[in-house]
Amino acid sequence: MFTGIDDLDWASMNHAYGDASDVPRLLRGLASADGAEREIALDGMHGAVHHQGDVYDSTVACIPFLFELVTTAGLPGRGEIVDLLRSIGGDGRDTEEMDFWSDDEEEYEAWARNFARAESDTRARSGLLLDLLDDPDASLRKELPGALVQLHDDPEAVLAVLHRRWGNWPSATRSSHSGRRRP
């Protein structure tokens, strides 16, 4: 797991609180068997690497490792990582409409590129999530449909897959009224 993580120059990358040399520790913490350690790592990812929805160069560098974590069978906390990826991948946000903290055009361009790369990279890997729809982890399965519809380039194809896989589920209306008699 985490092939190539130590080959990246994390110290040359940034997050909300400076250089990103702590990011490999956070990523490894997400794979921990210890729930408290996973929670600290997830808080760190949200608090620094994806602080208040921002996307940094370190955020983009995390995407392949986050997908590796999500696709690791039996790893606890994968649903929360899907939620993080969904936030990183964005929702079609327009950086022209977003607030930017600097008037420096070069800083703005770098900031906008990070958002574009994050969206592109999560979309490019989102097909991996389709293979997880039958995973035994209920918290993971709960996060997948929304993530797939948001991140996958072809939401209609995703809905067709969901319908084929889960089309036999009783509708909320049928199940909520089953066993009841009309007065």
Side-chain angles (χ1 to χ4, degrees):
M1 185 178 295
F2 301 124
T3 302
I5 195 170
D6 294 321
D7 297 334
L8 297 176
D9 185 5
W10 293 97
S12 72
M13 297 181 219
N14 293 298
H15 58 47
Y17 300 107
D19 83 68
S21 58
D22 59 338
V23 172
R25 179 183 50 79
L26 294 173
L27 288 166
R28 288 182 174 106
L30 292 173
S32 175
D34 180 350
E37 187 176 342
R38 278 195 319 277
E39 186 64 31
I40 290 168
L42 187 62
D43 286 346
M45 293 297 291
H46 281 286
V49 179
H50 190 49
H51 179 71
Q52 296 181 350
D54 272 337
V55 174
Y56 304 89
D57 53 355
S58 65
T59 316
V60 175
C62 286
I63 292 171
F65 302 111
L66 293 171
F67 271 97
E68 183 179 7
L69 288 164
V70 167
T71 57
T72 300
L75 186 74
R78 292 182 295 155
E80 291 86 357
I81 299 169
V82 169
D83 185 54
L84 175 63
L85 280 165
R86 189 173 176 182
S87 182
I88 290 170
D91 53 3
R93 59 191 159 220
D94 182 356
T95 53
E96 297 284 327
E97 302 284 325
M98 297 171 67
D99 287 331
F100 184 65
W101 45 266
S102 173
D103 291 331
D104 184 296
E105 189 65 30
E106 286 182 30
E107 286 181 344
Y108 170 78
E109 290 298 324
W111 178 78
R113 271 194 309 275
N114 286 336
F115 275 100
R117 282 192 56 212
E119 184 174 353
S120 174
D121 289 2
T122 54
R123 286 188 178 283
R125 290 176 171 81
S126 65
L128 295 169
L129 302 177
L130 287 168
D131 295 333
L132 302 174
L133 289 170
D134 293 322
D135 194 276
D137 183 343
S139 67
L140 172 64
R141 287 192 321 269
K142 178 182 151 208
E143 297 297 330
L144 291 173
L148 282 163
V149 169
Q150 177 184 334
L151 299 174
H152 200 277
D153 281 331
D154 189 354
E156 290 181 16
V158 168
L159 289 174
V161 169
L162 293 175
H163 180 72
R164 279 195 305 275
R165 293 222 180 175
W166 298 333
N168 294 329
W169 280 1
S171 73
T173 306
R174 281 195 309 242
S175 64
S176 65
H177 294 295
S178 61
R180 284 201 242 164
R181 287 190 234 165
R182 293 182 177 238

